Amino acid sequence: MIGHQWMYTKLIDSHHTGWLAGNTDWLVHVVSLICASVLILLLIIYGYILWLKYKSRRREQVKTTLMQELLAEGSFLQQYLNNGEIGVDVLNISGDQQIVLQQLLLQRLAQGPVEHETLRIRLLSWQVFGSSYRSVLKTGKWSERVNTLLYIEQFHMVELLPKLEDMLRVSSCTPLERFIILRIYARTGYFRIVKELMREQYVWSDSQVLQILLLLNDSSLTRLKDHFKDVPYQVQCNIVHAIRIRDDQTDGALVLLEKLILGEDSLLRTHAYQALAQVGRCREDLLKGLLLVWNESGEERQRSERLTVTRLMGDIHADAFIPRLKVMMGDPSFQIRQEAANSLARYEQGLDELRDTTVNHPDRYARQIAEETLERMQYGRKMD
Amino acid sequence: MDERWIEMLRSFVLACYEGIFIYLVLAIVMCSVLVVAAARTLILRRDLDPLQYHEMLDEELAPAVSLLVPMRNSENTIVQRINCLLGIQYARYEVIIINDGSEDATMPRLMETYDLMPIRSKVHYSGLVQETAQIKCVYQSRLHHRLIVIDKAYGGRMDSLNAGLNISQYPYIASVGPLTFLERDALVKIMKPVMDALPGEEVVACSGRVDLMVPENTAHPELTDNSTRRTSSALYIMQSIEYVRAFLIGGVGLVRYNINVLLFTAQVFGVFKKNRVMEVGGYKGDDHAAHMELVMRLQKHMKRIRERGRIIYIPDPICRVEVPGTWRQLRRQRTRWYMQLASSLWAQRSMIFNPAYGWMGMVSIPYFILIELLGPVMELGTLLLFISGIGLQLVDINLCIILALLLMLYGSLLSAGMVMFEIWCSRKTYTSREVTRLLLYACSETFWFRPLNNIFRMVGIVQAMGLRKEEEKEIRNGLK
């Protein structure tokens, strides 16, 4: 009853007409106008798209014909790639012809041609596209500039390096453009790359830095290793990765890694252990020595470092590591416990040590992981 | 009827009109803003050369990924699907097929085709706390070192994903839906943002644009969309329009504003950072919760541990998905989706309008509630009001016209605009006939497809509510 009264008072007594009711005439006009405008706009876009379709279809036909001409036996492109003679008419091509030629040359490069053909492609690309690339870099829109940089990289256009240097200094140059420019520097062995990598101003992902470092020639990498303290921290970490991936077994690399392992920085230490495990295969004694140093003070180290070292202790056997591995089997991290058990299992006396752990280890999780590993080993033997 | 009551009814209808008017205006403005934002991103990127992905083929640089593919009773399609997955162009990945208790010849077929050998002794479990159905054996192929097969008892899709997660060896996992066909360069594209993450940023989940597979091509998934003629089936066309709309608004649009969007598409194909998924306890065993709930939990977790976890949506097409070919299948699919949506939002209701969860709590989830969850209710409500307004003559006819026009603007015209933009911007080639067809169908959307679709969605929401009541009942009875 009370509800009815409330509704009555609220809705009828107050003569609720709503704020929309008095405004319907002009609202109808406004909404109809909006709908009509959108509809007209859509029709215009529709017409424009159809016109674009027509245009692009014709353009595609022209391109296909051009491509067939260029691929034909005896065409100027085939002749040039075979004999190395550039005709004057090749240098004067423009528009769609240039696009088709660029596409063909990129395809050819992707197929991995022989060296003399690669050199010819680079020379031709510079002579045909050089000036247009230069103007696009100056005035083109962002996506065009990025694409042009990618093409310059593919064609190794060292002649454009000074132009790229200017571009790098312009504040409007975006991080992606800067990254591609430095990648071109690295790929072409340009001397300024080391200086650029020592700058703090770049914000890149680790993989971008690593990409550049992996492209560097040996002398540039050596210079970076020599100035290791002066490069930004992100680059330092990636130099260590690069040493590992490039399997850099030079004395300079080994000394640097040793220094880092004995240093204070945990992340660099972890990376250095990983790198040394790869590049110091022939220097097992060195790695063993460094691991023994770690063995003395490893408990407070970070998880990633503990994990790396646990894995390495399984790769490089030393009786002194066994007690440490047993301690690691009681680590709070499941992954480290598992890795420690696996490493221990790889020792000659591993089976006995694991059995001993299942009974005598004070930590419940360590006993559990030892049991699991034993079970797995047993199962493995049955399967084999 | 008493005149007072008629008056009261009229006032009530008028109030509803006002409410729906405000809702539609808000929804139109919100969607338009997101479409403009998406358009800016797409226009900027549309001409970029695929050469940009080249570095992703470098083994040392590309982050390794485990593809998790649950399968059940798929003896006819399994080999074809696995071959597609093994042909993916990427430096480091493994394919983990999880045979979820198939009762047909799926497992013998796999054993025979890929020369599987048991490797249980070498398997390292990742230590997922959640229990999974019993794993009978784990195999590796002698022919393809990347192929791992888990043979397990039936436990459902999420349970299979958990089993795969536990066995995967790589730092990223990717769940592949049952009707998904990955593009050859799917991993290259989807892992690029992961590789490009700046120091201090962490990509915890990533998904991308999903294209529809032409029904006639399902037997030949290797065919690209451009290599065949597109179908003229109305249902297929309407679904492709719907996907374009979802892609522009829910995907690119929200991401443009750095809003961590909830991934609808993750169900089809999504990449997740494995350690973070492990930290939140893996997938929830309940199939209704789906990936969306996982994404919300991940976001919650990252906020709790004060880490900057990003969720990324890439605008390039990464996969194609088989879509319902009949109304019946469509009804089933939409009902399931909306049940999942409602269940997921309910499960993480503490995040709604909670400033502690940043954009996700304040924008993404409210957006999903307002546009996705309430959308069907509001749109059907508008239709009912329109019909009742005209039939019963309770309100001014102008009001009915306004609502009808707004509904058309929100449904048909917005969709048509998005489709036109997609045609202009996309690298796909459309014939003039297809362009015309898409425009006409998009314009007709409000009159038939949307109302029907909204009914299916409503059924899903109602079912989710029923499920919730059942759960409450079980809790009260002490069964849970």
mmCIF file of all heavy atoms in Angstrom, chain B residues 8 20 84 97 99 125 155-157 180 183 195 266 293 301 342 353 359 380 396 449 462 469:
data_model
loop_
_atom_site.group_PDB
_atom_site.id
_atom_site.type_symbol
_atom_site.label_atom_id
_atom_site.label_comp_id
_atom_site.label_asym_id
_atom_site.label_seq_id
_atom_site.Cartn_x
_atom_site.Cartn_y
_atom_site.Cartn_z
ATOM 1 N N MET B 8 0.278 6.754 -14.536
ATOM 2 C CA MET B 8 1.493 6.256 -13.891
ATOM 3 C C MET B 8 2.341 5.445 -14.886
ATOM 4 O O MET B 8 3.554 5.586 -14.948
ATOM 5 C CB MET B 8 1.111 5.355 -12.706
ATOM 6 C CG MET B 8 2.178 5.288 -11.654
ATOM 7 S SD MET B 8 1.463 4.861 -10.089
ATOM 8 C CE MET B 8 1.219 3.132 -10.245
ATOM 9 N N ILE B 20 16.957 5.386 -21.572
ATOM 10 C CA ILE B 20 17.542 4.752 -22.761
ATOM 11 C C ILE B 20 18.140 5.797 -23.694
ATOM 12 O O ILE B 20 19.171 5.567 -24.320
ATOM 13 C CB ILE B 20 16.489 3.866 -23.451
ATOM 14 C CG1 ILE B 20 16.359 2.607 -22.603
ATOM 15 C CG2 ILE B 20 16.875 3.529 -24.880
ATOM 16 C CD1 ILE B 20 15.502 1.533 -23.135
ATOM 17 N N CYS B 84 49.452 -27.641 -39.574
ATOM 18 C CA CYS B 84 49.411 -26.179 -39.686
ATOM 19 C C CYS B 84 50.277 -25.556 -38.590
ATOM 20 O O CYS B 84 51.036 -24.627 -38.827
ATOM 21 C CB CYS B 84 47.986 -25.670 -39.523
ATOM 22 S SG CYS B 84 47.065 -25.686 -41.024
ATOM 23 N N ILE B 97 50.078 -30.752 -27.609
ATOM 24 C CA ILE B 97 48.705 -31.208 -27.882
ATOM 25 C C ILE B 97 48.219 -31.927 -26.632
ATOM 26 O O ILE B 97 48.906 -32.823 -26.117
ATOM 27 C CB ILE B 97 48.671 -32.182 -29.078
ATOM 28 C CG1 ILE B 97 49.295 -31.533 -30.317
ATOM 29 C CG2 ILE B 97 47.266 -32.690 -29.357
ATOM 30 C CD1 ILE B 97 48.533 -30.392 -30.915
ATOM 31 N N ASN B 99 45.452 -34.264 -25.369
ATOM 32 C CA ASN B 99 44.321 -35.123 -25.727
ATOM 33 C C ASN B 99 43.463 -35.297 -24.478
ATOM 34 O O ASN B 99 43.825 -35.997 -23.543
ATOM 35 C CB ASN B 99 44.837 -36.473 -26.227
ATOM 36 C CG ASN B 99 43.699 -37.424 -26.527
ATOM 37 O OD1 ASN B 99 42.658 -37.016 -27.024
ATOM 38 N ND2 ASN B 99 43.889 -38.688 -26.188
ATOM 39 N N TYR B 125 57.603 -30.949 -14.374
ATOM 40 C CA TYR B 125 56.368 -30.221 -14.129
ATOM 41 C C TYR B 125 56.715 -28.851 -13.572
ATOM 42 O O TYR B 125 57.692 -28.691 -12.849
ATOM 43 C CB TYR B 125 55.468 -31.010 -13.188
ATOM 44 C CG TYR B 125 54.977 -32.278 -13.831
ATOM 45 C CD1 TYR B 125 55.679 -33.459 -13.684
ATOM 46 C CD2 TYR B 125 53.855 -32.259 -14.631
ATOM 47 C CE1 TYR B 125 55.256 -34.614 -14.317
ATOM 48 C CE2 TYR B 125 53.414 -33.408 -15.262
ATOM 49 C CZ TYR B 125 54.123 -34.595 -15.098
ATOM 50 O OH TYR B 125 53.704 -35.717 -15.726
ATOM 51 N N GLY B 155 38.852 -33.851 -18.574
ATOM 52 C CA GLY B 155 38.713 -32.888 -17.475
ATOM 53 C C GLY B 155 38.219 -31.537 -17.955
ATOM 54 O O GLY B 155 38.131 -30.599 -17.174
ATOM 55 N N GLY B 156 37.947 -31.412 -19.239
ATOM 56 C CA GLY B 156 37.476 -30.127 -19.776
ATOM 57 C C GLY B 156 38.631 -29.312 -20.340
ATOM 58 O O GLY B 156 39.798 -29.635 -20.144
ATOM 59 N N ARG B 157 38.227 -28.248 -21.045
ATOM 60 C CA ARG B 157 39.224 -27.446 -21.764
ATOM 61 C C ARG B 157 40.206 -26.736 -20.830
ATOM 62 O O ARG B 157 41.413 -26.751 -21.049
ATOM 63 C CB ARG B 157 38.471 -26.421 -22.612
ATOM 64 C CG ARG B 157 39.346 -25.685 -23.565
ATOM 65 C CD ARG B 157 38.526 -24.867 -24.537
ATOM 66 N NE ARG B 157 39.208 -23.613 -24.819
ATOM 67 C CZ ARG B 157 40.314 -23.502 -25.525
ATOM 68 N NH1 ARG B 157 40.870 -24.574 -26.031
ATOM 69 N NH2 ARG B 157 40.882 -22.337 -25.726
ATOM 70 N N THR B 180 40.412 -22.540 -34.064
ATOM 71 C CA THR B 180 41.348 -21.514 -34.529
ATOM 72 C C THR B 180 42.392 -22.076 -35.488
ATOM 73 O O THR B 180 42.943 -23.143 -35.235
ATOM 74 C CB THR B 180 42.095 -20.919 -33.319
ATOM 75 O OG1 THR B 180 41.138 -20.554 -32.349
ATOM 76 C CG2 THR B 180 42.933 -19.720 -33.707
ATOM 77 N N GLU B 183 47.759 -18.060 -38.456
ATOM 78 C CA GLU B 183 48.478 -17.647 -39.654
ATOM 79 C C GLU B 183 49.923 -18.103 -39.491
ATOM 80 O O GLU B 183 50.397 -18.271 -38.365
ATOM 81 C CB GLU B 183 48.457 -16.111 -39.791
ATOM 82 C CG GLU B 183 47.080 -15.502 -39.927
ATOM 83 C CD GLU B 183 46.417 -15.763 -41.265
ATOM 84 O OE1 GLU B 183 47.118 -16.193 -42.197
ATOM 85 O OE2 GLU B 183 45.199 -15.560 -41.375
ATOM 86 N N MET B 195 58.776 -8.564 -27.338
ATOM 87 C CA MET B 195 60.195 -8.274 -27.547
ATOM 88 C C MET B 195 60.506 -6.802 -27.403
ATOM 89 O O MET B 195 61.584 -6.419 -26.971
ATOM 90 C CB MET B 195 60.576 -8.710 -28.953
ATOM 91 C CG MET B 195 61.392 -9.952 -28.989
ATOM 92 S SD MET B 195 61.764 -10.363 -30.671
ATOM 93 C CE MET B 195 63.236 -9.434 -30.966
ATOM 94 N N ALA B 266 41.345 -13.680 -26.564
ATOM 95 C CA ALA B 266 42.323 -14.588 -25.962
ATOM 96 C C ALA B 266 41.805 -16.020 -25.988
ATOM 97 O O ALA B 266 42.558 -16.976 -25.981
ATOM 98 C CB ALA B 266 42.612 -14.170 -24.544
ATOM 99 N N GLU B 293 38.438 -14.124 -17.505
ATOM 100 C CA GLU B 293 38.585 -14.130 -16.052
ATOM 101 C C GLU B 293 40.055 -14.225 -15.680
ATOM 102 O O GLU B 293 40.518 -13.574 -14.735
ATOM 103 C CB GLU B 293 37.772 -15.313 -15.514
ATOM 104 C CG GLU B 293 37.365 -15.204 -14.087
ATOM 105 C CD GLU B 293 38.385 -15.810 -13.162
ATOM 106 O OE1 GLU B 293 39.194 -16.642 -13.603
ATOM 107 O OE2 GLU B 293 38.399 -15.436 -11.987
ATOM 108 N N HIS B 301 46.502 -9.299 -9.940
ATOM 109 C CA HIS B 301 47.751 -9.771 -9.328
ATOM 110 C C HIS B 301 48.873 -8.754 -9.539
ATOM 111 O O HIS B 301 49.616 -8.431 -8.604
ATOM 112 C CB HIS B 301 48.117 -11.113 -9.958
ATOM 113 C CG HIS B 301 49.429 -11.665 -9.518
ATOM 114 N ND1 HIS B 301 49.670 -12.062 -8.221
ATOM 115 C CD2 HIS B 301 50.582 -11.862 -10.197
ATOM 116 C CE1 HIS B 301 50.921 -12.490 -8.132
ATOM 117 N NE2 HIS B 301 51.490 -12.373 -9.313
ATOM 118 N N ALA B 342 29.270 -12.768 -18.242
ATOM 119 C CA ALA B 342 28.590 -12.454 -16.983
ATOM 120 C C ALA B 342 29.285 -13.158 -15.817
ATOM 121 O O ALA B 342 29.505 -12.551 -14.757
ATOM 122 C CB ALA B 342 27.127 -12.877 -17.076
ATOM 123 N N PHE B 353 34.708 -0.510 -10.717
ATOM 124 C CA PHE B 353 34.803 0.851 -10.192
ATOM 125 C C PHE B 353 35.722 0.936 -8.982
ATOM 126 O O PHE B 353 35.494 1.730 -8.079
ATOM 127 C CB PHE B 353 33.417 1.411 -9.849
ATOM 128 C CG PHE B 353 32.625 1.782 -11.077
ATOM 129 C CD1 PHE B 353 31.416 1.168 -11.363
ATOM 130 C CD2 PHE B 353 33.114 2.729 -11.961
ATOM 131 C CE1 PHE B 353 30.705 1.492 -12.509
ATOM 132 C CE2 PHE B 353 32.416 3.061 -13.110
ATOM 133 C CZ PHE B 353 31.205 2.447 -13.383
ATOM 134 N N TRP B 359 42.963 1.677 -14.760
ATOM 135 C CA TRP B 359 42.113 1.738 -15.949
ATOM 136 C C TRP B 359 41.201 0.533 -16.066
ATOM 137 O O TRP B 359 40.082 0.627 -16.532
ATOM 138 C CB TRP B 359 42.987 1.821 -17.201
ATOM 139 C CG TRP B 359 43.623 3.142 -17.412
ATOM 140 C CD1 TRP B 359 44.932 3.467 -17.219
ATOM 141 C CD2 TRP B 359 42.988 4.349 -17.862
ATOM 142 N NE1 TRP B 359 45.145 4.784 -17.517
ATOM 143 C CE2 TRP B 359 43.971 5.353 -17.931
ATOM 144 C CE3 TRP B 359 41.677 4.669 -18.220
ATOM 145 C CZ2 TRP B 359 43.690 6.650 -18.318
ATOM 146 C CZ3 TRP B 359 41.402 5.970 -18.624
ATOM 147 C CH2 TRP B 359 42.404 6.936 -18.669
ATOM 148 N N LEU B 380 17.211 -4.300 -26.612
ATOM 149 C CA LEU B 380 15.895 -4.958 -26.677
ATOM 150 C C LEU B 380 14.845 -4.096 -25.998
ATOM 151 O O LEU B 380 13.703 -3.997 -26.465
ATOM 152 C CB LEU B 380 15.966 -6.341 -26.026
ATOM 153 C CG LEU B 380 16.652 -7.424 -26.850
ATOM 154 C CD1 LEU B 380 16.706 -8.730 -26.076
ATOM 155 C CD2 LEU B 380 15.926 -7.651 -28.173
ATOM 156 N N ASP B 396 4.661 10.666 -26.796
ATOM 157 C CA ASP B 396 4.740 11.465 -28.013
ATOM 158 C C ASP B 396 5.434 10.645 -29.123
ATOM 159 O O ASP B 396 6.468 10.023 -28.877
ATOM 160 C CB ASP B 396 5.564 12.717 -27.657
ATOM 161 C CG ASP B 396 5.673 13.682 -28.813
ATOM 162 O OD1 ASP B 396 5.100 13.376 -29.857
ATOM 163 O OD2 ASP B 396 6.335 14.727 -28.639
ATOM 164 N N PHE B 449 19.641 -8.571 -37.517
ATOM 165 C CA PHE B 449 20.721 -9.347 -36.884
ATOM 166 C C PHE B 449 20.911 -8.953 -35.418
ATOM 167 O O PHE B 449 21.028 -9.818 -34.554
ATOM 168 C CB PHE B 449 22.028 -9.148 -37.660
ATOM 169 C CG PHE B 449 23.145 -10.027 -37.160
ATOM 170 C CD1 PHE B 449 23.158 -11.385 -37.441
ATOM 171 C CD2 PHE B 449 24.160 -9.508 -36.372
ATOM 172 C CE1 PHE B 449 24.177 -12.207 -36.972
ATOM 173 C CE2 PHE B 449 25.177 -10.321 -35.903
ATOM 174 C CZ PHE B 449 25.181 -11.671 -36.214
ATOM 175 N N VAL B 462 20.879 -14.644 -18.675
ATOM 176 C CA VAL B 462 19.908 -15.281 -17.773
ATOM 177 C C VAL B 462 20.462 -16.622 -17.274
ATOM 178 O O VAL B 462 20.360 -16.951 -16.079
ATOM 179 C CB VAL B 462 18.549 -15.474 -18.495
ATOM 180 C CG1 VAL B 462 17.601 -16.317 -17.666
ATOM 181 C CG2 VAL B 462 17.935 -14.120 -18.796
ATOM 182 N N LYS B 469 22.717 -18.695 -9.061
ATOM 183 C CA LYS B 469 21.752 -19.086 -8.022
ATOM 184 C C LYS B 469 22.019 -20.521 -7.568
ATOM 185 O O LYS B 469 21.963 -20.830 -6.382
ATOM 186 C CB LYS B 469 20.324 -18.957 -8.562
ATOM 187 C CG LYS B 469 19.791 -17.563 -8.370
ATOM 188 C CD LYS B 469 18.340 -17.497 -8.736
ATOM 189 C CE LYS B 469 17.860 -16.053 -8.606
ATOM 190 N NZ LYS B 469 16.663 -15.822 -9.379
#
